[in-house]
Amino acid sequence: MMTEQTNRNYYAVIPANVRYNKSLSNISKLVYSELTTILTKDKKITVDAHKISKNLNIPYNNVLKAMVELNEAKIIRVENWEEDNFDIYFI
C-alpha cells in the first residue's frame, strides 16, 4: 500500500543558471530543486528547513548552508532568517 507521500506527483526544476553555476555546491542545487516543488505562482514560499532536511535526508546544517549559498549567488532571496521557517523569493 502506498502512502500519501509517495502518491504525490511533484517534479523539480533546475534551470541552466543554477545547474551550471560553478559557485554552487551539489547540495545547493539539490535544495533548490526541492524548493521548486513547492513554488507558488507569485514565486514566494515559506519553508521549514527541518522538513527540507528530512525530505532530502541531509543534515539540517547543510540545508542552511545551501540556502545561504543560493542567497549569496542571487538565485533566491531569503527573508525572515529567524527560527526554522524562512520566506524565500525566487529571483
Side-chain angles (χ1 to χ4, degrees), residues 47-50 60 64 80-86:
V47 66
D48 178 351
H50 285 289
Y60 172 77
L64 295 181
N80 187 22
W81 286 91
E82 302 169 10
E83 310 229 355
D84 295 326
N85 291 317
F86 304 95

Side-chain angles (χ1 to χ4, degrees), residues 8-81:
R8 294 183 180 154
N9 292 319
Y10 294 117
Y11 63 93
V13 176
I14 305 177
N17 69 317
V18 174
R19 183 176 176 194
Y20 299 113
N21 190 325
K22 295 189 185 293
S23 70
L24 296 176
S25 67
N26 290 336
I27 295 288
S28 293
K29 294 172 186 180
L30 181 63
V31 168
Y32 180 90
S33 70
E34 180 70 14
L35 295 173
T36 66
T37 66
I38 55 175
L39 185 60
T40 62
K41 288 183 181 181
D42 62 358
K43 295 189 174 186
K44 177 191 180 231
I45 58 173
T46 300
V47 66
D48 178 351
H50 285 289
K51 185 174 180 181
I52 298 294
S53 172
K54 182 180 175 186
N55 287 350
L56 296 176
N57 195 28
I58 60 175
Y60 172 77
N61 287 339
N62 287 9
V63 173
L64 295 181
K65 288 177 189 175
M67 290 200 296
V68 167
E69 202 171 271
L70 291 163
N71 189 65
E72 289 175 350
K74 298 189 184 333
I75 303 293
I76 62 173
R77 187 176 79 236
V78 182
E79 295 182 356
N80 187 22
W81 286 91

